[in-house]
Every structure is written in C-alpha cells, then in structure tokens.
C-alpha cells in the first residue's frame, strides 16, 4: 500500500509560512503584495481554480485584483487590461487563467505580461530560462510536483521519470525540472506507441493527460512514485487520470485527487507572487 503524498497538508504549511513572509513584506515596504487575476468566460473548472486562488491569496494576506471578463470579450480589451496592469507599479503579478476562449490568441496575450510579473512562468523569457536551467519564475504545477517529490527525500538522480502528456503547462516544464535533477526523462503523448511498455519502466510516473482513471495498475512498476495531475469530473465525482484504487497497492507513493497536486499548484502560485514582489523591490 502506497504512502499518500498529501498536497493539502503540505500546501497548508507553505501557505502558513507565506503568511508570515507576506506580513514581513508589508511591514518592510509599506504595501501589500498584489496579484491580478484575469478570467475570461465561465469555464466551470477555471471558475473554481480562480476562486481557490483568490481564497489562498486572502489567507496569506496577498491583495488580489479580480477581473472576470465575459466570454465574448474582444482581444483588444484583454490586451488593454494587461498593458494597464503591466504599467501599474502597485501590481506584482499578473495571472491569465487558461484556457482562454477560442477566439483569443493565447500566445499573443501571454506575451504582454512582463516576465517579472509572470507569476505562472508562462512567458517565453521564463520558459527559455527554465530550459537553460537558469533562475526564472517556475511554472506552478510542475514546481508543486517537485516540491512534493523533494518532501519525501527520495534521491531523484538516475531515476527513470516517465511523463504522460506534453502540454506547455505541465508535461514540458516537469520534464525539464526532472532532467535538472538528473532523472532520465521520457515524455509520452497521444502518438506514443505501446505506452504501457514505457510506463512500466517508470520509477516516477507523472500523468497529465486528462483521461479519467486511464492509468491502471498493470501499467505501473512495483514501488513507483505516481503523480496524478488529472482532475476529471465524472458522474461519481472528481477523479484523476490514475485509477487510484488499484494503483495505490502497487506504488510506493501516490497523490490523491482531489488533495494532491491541485493545492500544491496554488501554493506555488502564491510563492511566485511573493518572489516576484521581492524582486520588484530589488531584493
Ligand atoms: N489552467 C490550468 N492550470 C493553470 C495554471 O497553472 N495557471 C493558469 N493561469 N491557468 C491554468
């Protein structure tokens, strides 16, 4: 039976520590750390994520400026909003919740966020620096996964890490972070042939594909660390991309859904808002 990687517990500790740091920041610089959160449309999952991000900011003492724009907002209006927030000296971080409605050009919109306010680590500059293993704002979900892996003190060097999914938000950046820790990394995706033969070799298996309970125990090596990034809404409630009930008996560690990677993503976002604010004060 695997040990649970409790993201809820770990993220609470991080947020409590950030609460102290945010208070110190406020006392020292006579202003609150400020995070702008932009949501376009009413994607139900995005609405929940944004609500949870604002709630976490409130808990820590980070001021959030929330912008909820209608689904049919024109590109120019989103661009104007970001340009204003980019110029606003009181704003430390700008977050555009993804996915954006189809008529909006995600790449063009993200490029307007100044890298020093890019709390998601999505801009080309931050992604480029991450690729070069240079100092950067790390993308939140993979940063949360790395934090969890480091929390269990298992050596990562030389481990075979297999990732299912190659998205810009999770698959690509987690591959780089694991590579930085000297893992041997394999990235699988929808065109991968004989997926099971590869996942069975994984010492660390990161699943971010968006298919409910796709990874079953026959796809997992005995003693593997299994990280489930999926959040799927089914008739029986939320579940991950991993069939938790069977895989838990084979893995050494496993993340639950909900309560695993999700809360860690939010904690890392808050950490990024804090570090962006510090850097903007030239610390
Ligand atoms: N959509 C899914 N995950 C994320 C995330 O980490 N940040 C943003 N901005 N949008 C997302």
């Amino acid at each position: 039976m695997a040990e649970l990687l409790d993201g809820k517990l770990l993220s609470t500790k991080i947020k409590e520590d950030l609460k102290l740091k945010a208070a110190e920041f406020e006392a020292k610089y006579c202003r609150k750390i400020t995070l702008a959160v932009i949501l376009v449309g009413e994607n139900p999952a995005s609405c929940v994520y944004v609500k949870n991000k604002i709630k976490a900011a409130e808990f820590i003492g980070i001021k959030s400026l929330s912008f909820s724009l209608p689904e049919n907002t024109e590109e120019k209006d989103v661009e104007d909003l970001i340009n204003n927030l980019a110029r606003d000296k009181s704003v430390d971080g700008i977050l555009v919740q993804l996915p954006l409605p189809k008529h909006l050009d995600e790449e063009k919109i993200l490029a307007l966020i100044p890298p020093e306010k890019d709390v998601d680590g999505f801009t080309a500059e931050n992604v480029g620096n991450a690729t070069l293993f240079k100092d950067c704002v790390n993308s939140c979900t993979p940063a949360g996964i790395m934090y969890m892996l480091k929390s269990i003190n298992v050596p990562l060097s030389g481990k075979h890490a297999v990732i299912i999914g190659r998205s810009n938000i999770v698959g690509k950046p987690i591959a780089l972070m694991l590579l930085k820790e000297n893992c041997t990394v394999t990235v699988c995706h929808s065109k991968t042939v004989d997926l099971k033969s590869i996942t069975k070799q994984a010492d660390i298996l990161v699943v971010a594909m968006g298919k409910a309970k796709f990874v079953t125990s026959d796809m997992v090596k005995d003693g593997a660390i299994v990280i489930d990034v999926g959040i799927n809404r089914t008739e029986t409630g939320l579940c991950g991309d991993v069939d938790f009930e069977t895989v838990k008996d084979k893995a050494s560690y496993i993340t639950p859904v909900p309560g695993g990677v999700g809360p860690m993503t939010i904690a890392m976002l808050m950490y990024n808002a804090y570090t962006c604010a510090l850097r903007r004060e030239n610390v």
Side-chain angles (χ1 to χ4, degrees):
M1 171 74 184
E3 228 178 281
L4 213 58
L5 284 168
D6 188 339
K8 196 155 168 34
L9 186 70
L10 205 52
S11 68
T12 301
K13 286 189 188 146
I14 297 167
K15 286 188 289 183
E16 274 165 0
D17 179 49
L18 283 173
K19 192 173 184 165
L20 302 176
K21 288 191 162 80
E24 276 171 26
F25 181 96
E26 191 175 343
K28 188 161 179 188
Y29 300 108
C30 302
R31 68 179 190 86
K32 268 192 184 301
I33 299 168
T34 302
L35 172 65
V37 180
I38 303 170
L39 173 66
V40 188
E42 282 164 16
N43 176 314
S46 292
C47 291
V48 174
Y49 295 146
V50 162
K51 199 180 86 198
N52 289 339
K53 287 171 184 180
I54 290 170
K55 204 169 121 196
E58 212 168 285
F59 172 81
I60 291 164
I62 291 176
K63 178 176 169 185
S64 55
L65 307 172
S66 173
F67 300 90
S68 288
L69 310 178
E71 179 85 21
N72 61 358
T73 303
E74 285 180 24
E75 175 124 349
K76 165 104 177 44
D77 293 332
V78 184
E79 289 174 11
D80 286 349
L81 173 60
I82 296 177
N83 285 331
N84 284 336
L85 294 167
R87 275 191 297 269
D88 188 335
K89 288 194 167 47
S90 72
V91 172
D92 296 296
I94 304 171
L95 177 156
V96 178
Q97 187 64 30
L98 301 179
L100 286 166
K102 290 214 167 13
H103 67 282
L104 298 174
D105 184 339
E106 185 175 299
E107 210 176 300
K108 196 170 163 204
I109 285 172
L110 292 180
L112 297 174
I113 302 174
E116 68 276 13
K117 295 190 181 188
D118 172 25
V119 282
D120 264 317
F122 287 168
T123 59
E125 182 166 328
N126 277 314
V127 173
N129 281 331
T131 308
L132 297 169
F133 299 159
K134 279 170 62 180
D135 190 34
C136 64
V137 182
N138 279 311
S139 182
C140 306
T141 300
I145 295 171
M146 293 310 293
Y147 197 104
M148 282 180 139
L149 288 175
K150 287 179 182 177
S151 76
I152 54 174
N153 283 320
V154 172
L156 298 176
S157 180
K159 293 274 158 62
H160 188 186
V162 174
I163 299 152
I164 312 182
R166 56 174 154 178
S167 68
N168 290 338
I169 296 183
V170 184
K172 286 186 207 168
I174 191 65
L176 283 167
M177 288 182 198
L178 289 163
L179 191 58
K180 191 178 179 187
E181 296 299 325
N182 299 314
C183 287
T184 301
V185 179
T186 304
V187 181
C188 302
H189 47 77
S190 53
K191 302 288 187 288
T192 295
V193 176
D194 196 3
L195 181 64
K196 182 170 149 181
S197 72
I198 301 169
T199 59
K200 274 192 82 73
Q201 297 172 35
D203 301 307
I204 300 166
L205 181 60
V206 180
V207 191
M209 61 197 305
K211 281 193 182 163
K213 301 185 184 181
F214 181 88
V215 171
T216 43
S217 65
D218 57 312
M219 298 171 75
V220 176
K221 178 171 155 179
D222 260 327
I225 300 172
V226 178
I227 308 287
D228 190 351
V229 189
I231 301 180
N232 306 289
R233 268 150 239 275
T234 66
E235 282 164 13
T236 51
L238 282 188
C239 73
D241 291 350
V242 173
D243 182 23
F244 183 87
E245 283 311 315
T246 60
V247 173
K248 77 176 190 318
D249 295 327
K250 208 151 188 207
S252 58
Y253 292 91
I254 189 166
T255 60
V257 176
V261 175
M264 291 302 292
T265 298
I266 296 183
M268 292 298 113
L269 172 70
M270 297 298 125
Y271 176 78
N272 284 350
Y274 168 67
T275 55
C276 283
L278 274 186
R279 279 187 208 149
R280 292 188 61 251
E281 293 289 348
N282 294 315
V283 180

